[in-house]
Amino acid sequence: MDHAPEYVIEMLHITKEFPGIKANDDITLQLKHGEIHALLGENGAGKSTLMSVLFGLYQPDAGVIKKDGKEVRISDPNDATALHIGMVHQHFKLIDVFTVLDNIILGAEDTRMGFLQKKQARKKVSELSERYGLRVDLDAKVEDITVGMQQRVEILKMLYRDNEVLIFDEPTAVLTPQEIEELMDIMRGLAREGKSLLFISHKLNEILAVSDRVTVLRKGRCVGTVDTASTTQEELSRMMVGRPVQLVVDKSPAQPGEAVLTVENLCVPSRLYKRDAVKNVSFTARAGEIVCVAGIDGNGQTDLVYALTGLEKPSGGRISLCGHDITHASIRERSHIGMSHIPEDRHKHGLILDFSLEQNLVLQRYDEPRFQHNGFIRFDQVRDYAQTLIEQYDVRSGQGPATRVRSMSGGNQQKAIVAREMDRNLPLVVAVQPTRGLDVGAIEYIHSQLVRQRDQGKAVLLVSLELDEVMNLSDRILVFYEGEIVGEFDPQAVTVEELGLYMAGAKRQTKEAKA
């Protein structure tokens, strides 16, 4: 009897080029049966491209792919599915108005005489969700469930198609700490059942916690593959960035000055339910300090930011910025008075994806005299300005200022937004998840930029779900739970565990304690 090959997937000498950029340059990756294999690299290192080649979304310019030792051609995702290869994308591919069950069976429907056999499908999905601990409400519409639940739907989609090789592209970028723990358990369970997992990430602690081996990519090339058990965070970050990285933020104590932003008894109606998402919230952010709003996703932080930035009308209360009442001001007025905003959803509110990078970098400033003359845009000035920001913030793209933003990697899109907002040099920076989906090198840079803004006397309002970031960066922490501030803390004097209790609603401070 033949001995089964050691590797379920082998990608040998894969090369893939795009205009102006070699995304994958002679990369070899081998996945063993039943292992969790992590793919680590900076933004734009070529991780997603390599996985897209394996899933049939791109064709390699050179190299071969083997499945169970035999060479295969994967022309499109249907070929990948036939080979039992499945993928959960970073931005989920679900249809919002369909139910969970319909999303799972879409494209793999069981029909008899042209009629959909939903009963069998429901039974199979229920058995899978039981077996792998993926509990979801099969009749809920996708638009009504949390991001963590949507991810479970994506995993069930793969299992429903009997996939053996499961690719996870940045699966934790949008999850809360609790959901990340659950996902790790699910991944370990899948590997125990004999599935082989490829896990793209740039979060070192997660890779160390869950994977068996790690392959590191840097600028499109393979730096090496190591056993997770015998490596460290420092070693991995050095392989990934090419230099030692500071994993802790360097900052002096804050010197807070005048109040820049004052929020009094703010109420914001919920977009989903007939109640307020933000209830009677009051706080200030002063010049020269970083105030952090911490909490588990979905506790009203998004609604608070929408009201502060003008995306949503408050139902009560008052917001003032630099002494001006901006409660009902337009977005442009807030921008002119002195607010810059790094939004939570970079695709929806941060960028116009089909515009060029240079156009995106002057979105709020194209009417300034330096960028226009008599109503005509001065394109040479816009390009020079964009070039300066691209160099200063290390924004990587195939064709420089002329690149269409849609084609850039998520991390570089994020850097472009940060560059645009920081450079406007305004008294208040509202930064919502500024490092979501970024690698350690970029996080280190953006953290140092936020501290620099603070030290120049700006007020920084940071909204973050990453507890490490909250503890590392903030001078004051406000914990948000169900639309209210349940505690105010000094990061030097509180533990992560203590914060977790307030975030989960298990504890709350009295008025006197906050004061």
Side-chain angles (χ1 to χ4, degrees):
M1 186 186 139
D2 286 350
H3 177 61
E6 182 185 9
Y7 297 114
V8 58
I9 292 285
E10 292 175 90
M11 302 186 76
L12 306 170
H13 308 293
I14 300 288
T15 296
K16 177 69 185 166
E17 287 193 57
F18 295 108
I21 198 159
K22 220 175 199 181
N24 292 157
D25 186 358
D26 190 26
I27 293 178
T28 292
L29 172 74
Q30 295 169 308
L31 174 68
K32 294 179 181 175
H33 285 274
E35 79 165 337
I36 300 179
H37 193 116
L39 196 56
L40 174 70
E42 289 184 285
N43 304 116
K47 310 181 294 290
S48 295
T49 304
L50 187 66
M51 290 301 97
S52 296
V53 166
L54 179 57
F55 193 56
L57 292 166
Y58 295 141
Q59 298 307 305
D61 299 326
V64 295
I65 300 175
K66 290 182 176 182
K67 167 100 198 288
D68 294 322
K70 295 189 188 65
E71 193 175 322
V72 292
R73 243 196 93 78
I74 305 176
S75 309
D76 59 33
N78 292 334
D79 288 354
T81 304
L83 291 165
H84 302 296
I85 299 170
M87 182 163 180
V88 173
H89 300 266
Q90 188 175 357
H91 298 282
F92 302 147
K93 311 278 187 205
L94 297 171
I95 296 175
D96 282 355
V97 295
F98 275 22
T99 64
V100 167
L101 181 63
D102 289 341
N103 264 288
I104 291 171
I105 63 179
L106 185 64
E109 298 89 345
D110 188 8
T111 55
R112 201 159 304 149
M113 317 265 296
F115 289 97
L116 197 54
Q117 301 295 311
K118 249 192 189 174
K119 212 164 162 190
Q120 282 91 316
R122 176 181 287 272
K123 186 164 174 272
K124 179 172 176 181
V125 174
S126 299
E127 282 167 3
L128 286 170
S129 76
E130 244 350 271
R131 177 170 165 192
Y132 292 102
L134 292 159
R135 281 173 194 73
V136 286
D137 175 359
L138 295 182
D139 299 310
K141 282 195 176 160
V142 164
E143 60 189 358
D144 298 330
I145 61 177
T146 65
V147 179
M149 283 297 158
Q150 289 180 24
Q151 188 166 51
R152 292 182 175 200
V153 177
E154 285 278 19
I155 296 171
L156 280 166
K157 246 167 65 175
M158 294 197 293
L159 298 174
Y160 183 75
R161 287 158 179 70
D162 303 322
N163 289 330
E164 297 156 13
V165 176
L166 313 180
I167 306 168
F168 290 83
D169 186 0
E170 298 283 357
T172 61
V174 289
L175 301 186
T176 67
Q178 286 77 355
E179 286 172 333
I180 291 173
E181 277 302 311
E182 288 166 14
L183 177 68
M184 298 284 171
D185 286 340
I186 290 165
M187 288 170 73
R188 292 185 193 103
L190 290 166
R192 277 197 301 276
E193 293 275 347
K195 307 282 184 196
S196 310
L197 280 66
L198 279 163
F199 165 47
I200 302 181
S201 180
H202 47 237
K203 293 189 178 170
L204 302 172
N205 50 348
E206 289 170 10
I207 283 180
L208 290 171
V210 81
S211 67
D212 302 307
R213 292 192 303 150
V214 192
T215 295
V216 183
L217 303 186
R218 183 161 82 234
K219 293 188 179 168
R221 303 201 68 131
C222 181
V223 182
T225 299
V226 293
D227 286 328
T228 312
S230 58
T231 187
T232 62
Q233 282 209 17
E234 287 70 24
E235 175 62 27
L236 285 177
S237 60
R238 194 164 62 245
M239 285 173 75
M240 167 171 152
V241 184
R243 60 177 173 82
V245 176
Q246 262 190 307
L247 298 169
V248 180
V249 182
D250 217 2
K251 68 191 225 308
S252 54
Q255 311 284 329
E258 295 288 303
V260 172
L261 175 74
T262 307
V263 177
E264 297 163 84
N265 306 341
L266 185 67
C267 297
V268 186
S270 164
R271 294 187 305 284
L272 288 179
Y273 309 106
K274 289 188 170 64
R275 55 177 166 77
D276 280 345
V278 176
K279 305 162 192 157
N280 216 9
V281 163
S282 303
F283 66 92
T284 55
R286 296 171 301 203
E289 70 169 347
I290 297 177
V291 180
C292 183
V293 176
I296 294 170
D297 202 10
N299 277 283
Q301 305 95 310
T302 302
D303 305 84
L304 171 71
V305 171
Y306 280 8
L308 295 178
T309 54
L311 290 168
E312 191 77 50
K313 292 269 178 277
S315 54
R318 186 167 179 273
I319 308 167
S320 63
L321 174 62
C322 305
H324 299 268
D325 183 340
I326 60 160
T327 317
H328 301 292
S330 71
I331 295 177
R332 170 155 291 198
E333 284 165 354
R334 291 169 205 240
S335 173
H336 283 319
I337 291 168
M339 179 186 295
S340 60
H341 175 209
I342 299 168
E344 169 176 28
D345 187 331
R346 53 180 170 246
H347 288 170
K348 208 167 170 182
H349 297 130
L351 299 162
I352 300 177
L353 294 174
D354 289 315
F355 275 20
S356 65
L357 178 53
E358 58 192 356
Q359 287 169 321
N360 272 285
L361 289 174
V362 293
L363 274 183
Q364 295 116 314
R365 317 182 58 166
Y366 60 84
D367 55 343
E368 291 178 12
R370 67 185 274 203
F371 297 125
Q372 59 95 14
H373 183 63
N374 293 339
F376 289 95
I377 289 184
R378 302 172 63 180
F379 291 106
D380 51 341
Q381 290 294 332
V382 170
R383 175 145 299 186
D384 289 349
Y385 174 68
Q387 200 57 60
T388 310
L389 284 192
I390 287 168
E391 281 161 25
Q392 198 182 331
Y393 286 80
D394 187 27
V395 183
R396 296 180 198 170
S397 63
Q399 294 142 306
T403 311
R404 264 184 48 179
V405 169
R406 187 183 292 284
S407 68
M408 290 163 52
S409 75
N412 283 302
Q413 292 174 347
Q414 186 71 10
K415 280 190 193 168
I417 296 173
V418 169
R420 176 183 74 206
E421 297 302 326
M422 298 269 192
D423 194 68
R424 293 172 61 217
N425 216 2
L426 299 175
L428 175 68
V429 181
V430 179
V432 190
Q433 313 243 43
T435 57
R436 180 189 211 154
L438 295 186
D439 57 68
V440 282
I443 289 174
E444 173 192 49
Y445 182 72
I446 285 174
H447 283 176
S448 69
Q449 288 298 321
L450 286 168
V451 171
R452 210 186 87 207
Q453 294 280 321
R454 178 200 80 162
D455 293 343
Q456 288 172 357
K458 314 284 193 293
V460 179
L461 182 68
L462 172 71
V463 180
S464 177
L465 301 175
E466 302 273 348
L467 276 179
D468 296 348
E469 182 165 80
V470 172
M471 296 300 274
N472 240 325
L473 263 189
S474 53
D475 300 309
R476 265 194 307 140
I477 301 172
L478 307 173
V479 177
F480 234 62
Y481 176 70
E482 291 195 341
E484 298 177 280
I485 294 177
V486 293
E488 182 173 320
F489 303 95
D490 171 357
Q492 305 294 322
V494 69
T495 63
V496 171
E497 290 71 29
E498 177 81 355
L499 273 186
L501 289 172
Y502 282 88
M503 284 164 62
K507 291 178 85 168
R508 63 192 306 151
Q509 279 177 349
T510 58
K511 290 264 188 319
E512 294 71 48
K514 281 188 207 170

